[in-house]
Amino acid sequence: MSDNRRSKEVTQGNQRSPNRAMLRAVGFGDNDFNKPIVGLANGYSTITPCNMGINTLALRAESALKDAGAMPQMFGTITISDGISMGTEGMKYSLVSRDVIADSIETACNGQSMDAVLAIGGCDKNMPGAVLAIARMNIPAIFVYGGTIKPGKHNGEDLTVVSAFEAVGKFSAGKIDQEELNAIEHKACPGAGSCGGMFTANTMSSAFEAMGMSLPYSSTMAAEDEEKAESTEKSAFALVEAIKQQILPSQILTRQAFENAITVIMAVGGSTNSVLHLLAIANTMEVELTLDDFETIRKRVPVICNLKPSGKYVTVDLHRAGGIPQVMKMLLAHDLLHGDALTVTGKTIAETLADIPEKPPADQDVIRQWDNPVYAEGHLAILKGNLASEGSVAKISGVKNPVITGPARVFESEEECLSAILDGKIQAGDIIVVRYEGPKGGPGMREMLAPTSAIIGAGLGDSVGLITDGRFSGGTYGMVVGHVAPEAAVGGTIALVNEGDSITIDARQRLLQLNVDKEELAQRHRQWEARPPKYPRGVLGKYAKLVSSSSLGAVTDLDLYS
């Protein structure tokens, strides 16, 4: 791994350094120049409820870092709300924001010669963006999750943001009236915090806790609860101790850690987006990890948590039932975790979990007993075939019909697809194809929460398939396959599908197949022409030019000089 660590001239107290004059202006005294400078990457924003409570946590961390003997230097980084931008052109910027976040943290920390970093984030791309930067820099680091939202309540049921999207589909199908739709919209998101199910934000926070980059229990705490602020303070003290011991990300983010994260993601029923983000971080750490590793782990790990979107409970319920430590202890007891993997505290996973019981509480149904899993195998399946020679990702939890063969209904964008669903033009047995939404083709690989929620709301979730070179929200479920690679924009087979072609989605055989003769496909490929870039300049233009295949994590710094 390349070593991006910088000279420690300032913090080593060079008496002639002109840097000292400017540091005095921001609060350094004579006794502060020998203290470690800790970057405090603050993802605070009022753009989204996911991040609106983060500044309070950042201030708590700043105070704790000072008490622990460090000199915190706070700086901001961005966020894009997937839930707000969903279904619009703005969603093209969501995945892009992951790399903008990584770039901004790396730039601030390396540009100012910081000795360590504490990053706080809330919305989906904050976590992988921060950890990508941490992986690049390899300085002592810890990630603090801003916390999950508490569920909304309506007619005795828990609501999440996905409830609002599904309500639109139900309204369009005539299943609910305008009053019910309005009630769900008003109650779905009651306050601060990230989307409340085991969607992408809570999946990635759980993964990074499992990898040892965050403190135990921190990934499932509610944003508005005092324990979240207390955990943030503890994280600051843990980081300063990691600086003293020089515990580096390269010691934590090992192959063992990635396998532990994938195992936990399978056990909790996490988001398809976790595949993309873990591949990207592994690529940055130069840890060998492929799509096939997800499939290998999936086969041996049961889903033991009954969580939304396909299950019953939300993340605060998981926290009350024992959180990620309880899940990890069960996995460790059945030899499915690497107990000797290191964490940011200096303890191993096994040492961290030593006092956790091997069985979850008997008086709850959020974390199932080991002999009564929700599913016997993991839910994130890697499908391959002539439609996805590099691979694709399907979330198969809650799917009643794991094999579907039907006619292709081809759409060149998410908007075209959504209009067809809402207008009642999609029938049971159809296979929807949404293409040119991949990393390059979108660009930005938009999530398809609006179409998939509309399918569920229309009552077609068990009878309609959807495949795309784009992504899915962590709130998506049903027979849907995303991350199809190669994508349409580079001439992948998904670009060659014609309306009415027969397509097979087979979750049992892990197959994604276009049932068209090879010679016919070869002829179509010869006639195919690449489309000109939709965005020739700006952030999206740069992204489309640099981004790799989703099968490699959609990274933007892969082999830049090859």
Side-chain angles (χ1 to χ4, degrees):
M1 193 184 92
S2 59
D3 191 343
N4 292 327
R5 282 170 285 170
R6 289 88 45 217
S7 164
K8 300 298 187 292
E9 177 182 337
V10 175
T11 57
Q12 289 175 347
N14 186 336
Q15 297 300 314
R16 294 175 292 179
S17 174
N19 308 72
R20 293 164 63 98
M22 296 195 72
L23 289 172
R24 288 185 186 280
V26 296
F28 277 65
D30 288 342
N31 296 324
D32 295 326
F33 290 100
N34 290 318
K35 297 176 182 178
I37 297 177
V38 176
L40 209 172
N42 182 357
Y44 168 69
S45 170
T46 58
I47 289 173
T48 170
C50 310
N51 291 52
M52 70 182 189
I54 285 177
N55 199 51
T56 301
L57 301 181
L59 293 172
R60 185 78 170 256
E62 181 181 48
S63 177
L65 285 167
K66 290 179 180 178
D67 290 344
M71 287 302 291
Q73 301 294 285
M74 191 183 299
F75 60 92
T77 186
I78 68 156
T79 196
I80 297 294
S81 170
D82 293 9
I84 296 172
S85 63
M86 199 74 69
T88 72
E89 283 286 292
M91 188 64 196
K92 294 178 185 288
Y93 289 86
S94 171
L95 184 58
V96 175
S97 75
R98 181 192 73 180
D99 291 71
V100 174
I101 292 165
D103 291 349
S104 67
I105 294 174
E106 178 192 358
T107 300
C109 289
N110 280 357
Q112 298 302 135
S113 300
M114 296 179 188
D115 300 299
V117 62
L118 185 152
I120 310 179
C123 205
D124 291 10
K125 307 309 174 296
N126 298 175
M127 279 73 74
V131 178
L132 273 172
I134 286 167
R136 293 176 189 175
M137 296 183 296
N138 199 34
I139 56 176
I142 195 166
F143 180 78
V144 174
Y145 180 40
T148 185
I149 197 171
K150 294 180 179 180
K153 300 287 185 179
H154 181 61
N155 292 338
E157 294 185 4
D158 286 344
L159 299 181
T160 69
V161 67
V162 175
S163 306
F165 282 88
E166 291 179 0
V168 172
K170 291 178 182 178
F171 176 76
S172 298
K175 295 187 175 184
I176 61 173
D177 59 19
Q178 185 70 52
E179 183 179 358
E180 180 73 359
L181 177 62
N182 290 343
I184 293 171
E185 176 197 323
H186 281 81
K187 297 175 182 178
C189 299
S194 299
C195 298
M198 190 47 68
F199 310 150
T200 301
N202 287 323
T203 298
M204 295 314 300
S205 67
S206 299
F208 295 141
E209 180 180 327
M211 297 177 88
M213 287 305 306
S214 299
L215 293 189
Y217 297 103
S218 63
S219 66
T220 54
M221 293 175 177
E224 296 178 321
D225 286 351
E226 175 60 22
E227 66 175 348
K228 171 49 64 178
E230 293 171 355
S231 177
T232 302
E233 183 176 283
K234 292 176 182 177
S235 297
F237 281 95
L239 177 58
V240 173
E241 188 59 32
I243 296 170
K244 294 175 183 176
Q245 298 182 37
Q246 276 300 288
I247 299 173
L248 303 177
S250 57
Q251 298 169 266
I252 300 170
L253 298 175
T254 62
R255 167 76 186 201
Q256 289 182 320
F258 283 97
E259 290 185 356
N260 284 349
I262 296 169
T263 299
V264 168
I265 288 166
M266 294 295 178
V268 300
S271 167
T272 54
N273 285 309
S274 62
V275 178
L276 192 75
H277 299 321
L278 289 180
L279 286 171
I281 297 163
N283 183 285
T284 298
M285 289 301 303
E286 298 181 5
V287 170
E288 186 176 341
L289 190 73
T290 69
L291 283 171
D292 292 336
D293 293 314
F294 288 82
E295 183 61 29
T296 298
I297 293 173
R298 183 191 73 80
K299 293 177 181 178
R300 64 179 185 238
V301 179
V303 179
I304 58 175
C305 294
N306 184 16
L307 298 169
K308 291 179 181 291
S310 60
K312 180 179 180 181
Y313 299 101
V314 293
T315 304
V316 291
D317 298 320
L318 173 61
H319 188 66
R320 285 191 288 265
I324 296 302
Q326 179 64 76
V327 174
M328 292 180 70
K329 185 58 175 280
M330 295 170 68
L331 295 166
L332 181 65
H334 290 84
D335 298 321
L336 292 172
L337 285 186
H338 298 287
D340 56 344
L342 185 67
T343 75
V344 69
T345 66
K347 294 182 178 180
T348 65
I349 292 293
E351 290 170 340
T352 301
L353 302 175
D355 296 330
I356 308 296
E358 292 186 2
K359 294 183 179 181
D363 60 348
Q364 53 81 45
D365 187 47
V366 185
I367 306 174
R368 294 283 187 87
Q369 300 298 321
W370 189 262
D371 58 0
N372 183 34
V374 181
Y375 303 103
E377 293 182 340
H379 64 302
L380 297 181
I382 306 302
L383 276 56
K384 293 186 177 181
N386 68 351
L387 253 176
S389 58
E390 292 179 11
S392 61
V393 184
K395 181 188 281 189
I396 59 176
S397 54
V399 172
K400 293 182 179 179
N401 299 314
V403 181
I404 297 179
T405 296
R409 301 297 310 279
V410 181
F411 301 96
E412 308 297 322
S413 71
E414 178 187 359
E415 288 86 354
E416 290 182 18
C417 170
L418 180 61
S419 293
I421 297 169
L422 295 179
D423 290 343
K425 296 179 180 179
I426 300 300
Q427 306 299 319
D430 286 345
I431 307 291
I432 297 171
V433 179
V434 185
R435 62 191 181 192
Y436 292 97
E437 289 284 8
K440 287 183 177 294
M445 210 177 175
R446 284 194 290 182
E447 292 180 352
M448 304 290 152
L449 179 59
T452 57
S453 296
I455 290 170
I456 296 294
L460 296 170
D462 295 324
S463 58
V464 167
L466 189 154
I467 69 171
T468 180
D469 50 10
R471 297 181 295 130
F472 294 116
S473 163
T476 294
Y477 62 102
M479 182 52 89
V480 295
V481 185
H483 307 201
V484 171
E487 63 174 293
V490 299
T493 303
I494 192 171
L496 312 180
V497 180
N498 287 342
E499 183 81 8
D501 282 347
S502 173
I503 292 176
T504 296
I505 305 173
D506 189 335
R508 292 192 183 120
Q509 300 298 319
R510 275 83 65 196
L511 178 68
L512 187 61
Q513 185 76 19
L514 177 61
N515 301 314
V516 173
D517 182 82
K518 288 183 179 180
E519 292 183 4
E520 170 64 19
L521 282 180
Q523 175 65 23
R524 293 183 189 180
H525 197 274
R526 285 191 292 270
Q527 296 174 344
W528 176 83
E529 294 182 359
R531 297 181 174 186
K534 295 178 181 177
Y535 300 86
R537 304 194 67 172
V539 171
L540 293 181
K542 288 189 290 184
Y543 186 84
K545 188 174 182 62
L546 292 173
V547 70
S548 74
S549 168
S550 60
S551 65
L552 299 174
V555 294
T556 54
D557 60 350
L558 180 67
D559 295 330
L560 291 178
Y561 294 98
S562 64

